[in-house]
Amino acid sequence: MCGISGIISLHPNNPVEQKSLTAMTDAIAHRGPDDQGIFITPEVGLGARRLSIIDLASGHQPISNENETMWIVFNGEIYNYQALRDLAAQKGHTFKTKSDTEVILHLYEEFGDDCLHHLSGIFAFAIWDDRKKELFVAKDKMGVKPVYYTQTKNFFVLGSEMKVLMQHPEVNREINLSSLNQYLTFEYVPTPGTILKNVFRLEAGHFLRHNTSGLKLQKYWQPDLRESEIRYPVNLEEEKEKLYTTLEGVVTEELVSDVPVGVFLSGGLDSSTVAAFMARNAGRQVNSFSIAFKETSFDESRYARKVANLLELKHHELTVDSQMVLDLIPNIANYLDEPFGDSSFIPTFILSRFASQHVKVVLGGDGSDELFAGYPTLAAHRIFSIYQKLCPEIIRTKVLPGLSRLFPVSFKDISFDFKLGRFLDGEGRPLLERHHRWLGSFTDAEKKSLIRPELHAELGNTFDPIYHQNKNYFAENDLNRVLYNDLKMYLEGDILFKVDRASMANSLEVRVPFLNRRMVDLAMNLPLNLKLNRLTGKYLLKKTMSSVLPDEIVNRPKKGFNIPIAHWLAGDLRPLLMDFMSSSRIKTQGIFNSSFIENLLQEHFTKKRDHRKLLWTLLVFQLWHQKYLE
């Protein structure tokens, strides 16, 4: 696992400068503290920081082919690299390292962009072909590993994180107000946009070429759920056996490493499933890691301990208190070089830091909810359709919203008043907009009051990214439409972004077996009723694991990786919040309406309303703004 950077000169009289490339590469030293390297000529520069996982001794990057006409920098892991190495050797290629990085380069020599279909892994890499004067950049199918890019007047610039690009002197730091508008609702900026103008993320399943003809983007893979809608009937026992075999295969494949591999363990179904197959196939006792909270409504630690004892794991547990969070939050922008409003970044960061004291690699359970319909919102859409049919419109639009405000406000995790308010807020919204409203932060009406009127014309349509992704959806079922949208937006823009930044900030590699290509192929073809059966999400996964894990674990309600942020914003974090939301700071910034923010603060502090999502989303933006724009 590594961090990569790159520069191409667009004009002969503007050569690539080593100073710029070195600064860009140094900006991601946390992604690769074990080694660094650059390849530079007047027309191109490639940089790498390396976290040594495979081929500890000789995997130094950048790596060239046999005659040094091609060079590669690579971030990720290729799990089937040994078989692919044999294939490349059969084609006549010779190797100077034992790394998966060199395997990719020789496959690209042999197959061009078709090499991507051979790779089982998580990856982002850049290859310079000196003969063609062409840069090839690719990202894995599900978007696990990030790549940012931009084109300035004189250079094309890329890197694993946006802070890489910001080290280049020609990259401007100007807010994209349309992206800000999207961030305030989704809590992240959907790919391919970023918070900065003219800076982009490469989308999952895409590659780009940059040569003398300019930049060309191309899609090589996308999720396709059509097959899942024509596979009726199916045999449940056969599907359970197929899923079990696939799970065992992908977890075993992702154990490939020259260093020990641990597991994130929350005690939920997904992480416990990964841990169970690791325990069976690792060949050694597996280290598991979890965190606990003193606030009981947020704490899952007893479930993690139960699974660890059952599987005979070497379990490590850390209790998180508000002081740990207080110490971290003022520096959060060091790790988030664009605003990110999902507060679960905090526990993910703390857990990653904790695990990195023991191992370099962990497996996690991310991706299962998106593939197997695990989020409660999927069942809520079914309930909502019934609610709309049975409940008269006047009651839905006039009576119930008023009644919901009479319930006492609770700062507990996913409290009843919070769930009810979100559910009722779906009224009058199209399916996908309702879905993201349930997940997200500010409404369009709230943003109209929050953002200064003179900026409204630049905000664009909040939900344009939803409909951009929807153009490539080919199935028919509405809930499949939601699953597809989650795969293309929430998974890539929120979940994978969070895990990558939190883990790599602590020089820890996180692998995601549920997003292994074999698991994804299985899930794409699985009928919807084996994912969401009536109101039961992850139906087939639960049936499959019921013979392996206790019922208490298999059938636990879905619980996100949340923290008591509502409590902390009104308590220990209040001075920091007041500082960054002060009217003087807000007015100087010139983006937000200070009186609207003051009202949010007052309502939250007096528990008149629970504004945890709105205030946290704003606070992270303010911390980012101070770090990178002020």
Side-chain angles (χ1 to χ4, degrees), residues 567-582:
H567 285 287
W568 292 341
L569 287 170
D572 291 341
L573 288 174
R574 183 168 175 167
L576 180 74
L577 184 63
M578 294 297 291
D579 179 22
F580 278 87
M581 301 298 171
S582 67

Side-chain angles (χ1 to χ4, degrees), residues 323-337:
Q323 189 58 50
M324 292 181 190
V325 178
L326 281 170
D327 292 341
L328 173 60
I329 286 177
N331 301 308
I332 196 173
N334 293 338
Y335 317 112
L336 297 174
D337 51 16

Side-chain angles (χ1 to χ4, degrees), residues 180-452:
L180 173 60
N181 177 43
Q182 292 164 13
Y183 162 74
L184 291 169
T185 289
F186 298 119
E187 301 175 1
Y188 59 91
V189 179
T191 305
T194 72
I195 195 66
L196 296 183
K197 285 185 177 179
N198 302 316
V199 175
F200 305 95
R201 293 190 210 98
L202 187 61
E203 289 187 73
H206 281 65
F207 63 80
L208 66 81
R209 296 183 190 278
H210 195 290
N211 53 35
T212 54
S213 299
L215 174 66
K216 182 180 180 182
L217 292 164
Q218 187 169 328
K219 176 169 57 184
Y220 71 89
W221 186 87
Q222 72 174 45
D224 189 344
L225 292 160
R226 284 175 291 185
E227 186 67 24
S228 73
E229 296 183 358
I230 60 175
R231 290 192 62 223
Y232 292 95
V234 295
N235 182 289
L236 179 59
E237 294 304 315
E238 289 179 0
E239 296 300 323
K240 284 168 56 179
E241 183 178 353
K242 188 185 303 181
L243 178 55
Y244 186 97
T245 302
T246 304
L247 280 165
E248 185 156 46
V250 300
V251 171
T252 302
E253 181 180 67
E254 298 199 11
L255 290 172
V256 59
S257 173
D258 292 335
V259 297
V261 180
V263 62
F264 283 160
L265 183 62
S266 69
L269 174 61
D270 304 332
S271 64
S272 300
T273 295
V274 172
F277 286 104
M278 286 183 71
R280 285 170 53 90
N281 297 283
R284 63 171 75 95
Q285 188 178 34
V286 173
N287 285 278
S288 57
F289 304 92
S290 69
I291 57 177
F293 294 99
K294 293 178 181 179
E295 165 58 60
T296 56
S297 71
F298 293 84
D299 187 49
E300 298 183 282
S301 58
R302 68 182 182 91
Y303 298 106
R305 289 193 295 271
K306 184 181 182 73
V307 173
N309 289 334
L310 174 71
L311 301 176
E312 298 182 349
L313 309 177
K314 185 177 181 181
H315 191 55
H316 309 263
E317 180 180 298
L318 174 70
T319 299
V320 176
D321 58 33
S322 59
Q323 189 58 50
M324 292 181 190
V325 178
L326 281 170
D327 292 341
L328 173 60
I329 286 177
N331 301 308
I332 196 173
N334 293 338
Y335 317 112
L336 297 174
D337 51 16
E338 58 179 316
F340 182 70
D342 184 342
S343 63
S344 66
F345 174 82
I346 299 295
T348 305
F349 181 95
I350 293 172
L351 178 60
S352 296
R353 184 173 61 191
F354 179 49
S356 70
Q357 297 167 11
H358 303 270
V359 296
K360 276 189 173 183
V361 184
V362 294
L363 270 56
D366 296 302
S368 172
D369 289 308
E370 290 80 6
L371 290 177
F372 293 98
Y375 291 123
T377 45
L378 272 294
H381 285 302
R382 282 192 168 166
I383 295 172
F384 197 87
S385 64
I386 297 170
Y387 159 76
Q388 285 188 307
K389 290 176 183 177
L390 298 181
C391 187
E393 182 179 1
I394 191 169
I395 295 177
R396 298 196 315 267
T397 58
K398 303 294 184 182
V399 179
L400 290 178
L403 287 176
S404 72
R405 296 189 183 95
L406 299 179
F407 284 93
V409 172
S410 170
F411 285 171
K412 290 185 177 181
D413 188 23
I414 317 295
S415 58
F416 176 76
D417 61 295
F418 180 84
K419 289 189 289 186
L420 179 62
R422 286 279 153 159
F423 183 82
L424 295 177
D425 203 28
E427 180 62 39
R429 303 176 189 273
L431 173 70
L432 292 177
E433 292 186 19
R434 179 172 78 228
H435 181 69
H436 287 281
R437 173 60 197 139
W438 284 347
L439 294 172
S441 193
F442 285 89
T443 65
D444 282 347
E446 289 165 338
K447 288 183 294 186
K448 188 174 181 180
S449 300
L450 170 69
I451 298 173
R452 293 171 67 94

Side-chain angles (χ1 to χ4, degrees), residues 97-117:
T97 75
K98 297 179 180 178
S99 69
D100 50 353
T101 307
E102 191 177 9
V103 171
I104 298 172
L105 183 59
H106 290 316
L107 283 180
Y108 182 73
E109 283 187 280
E110 197 65 39
F111 301 112
D113 57 68
D114 280 344
C115 75
L116 300 171
H117 300 291

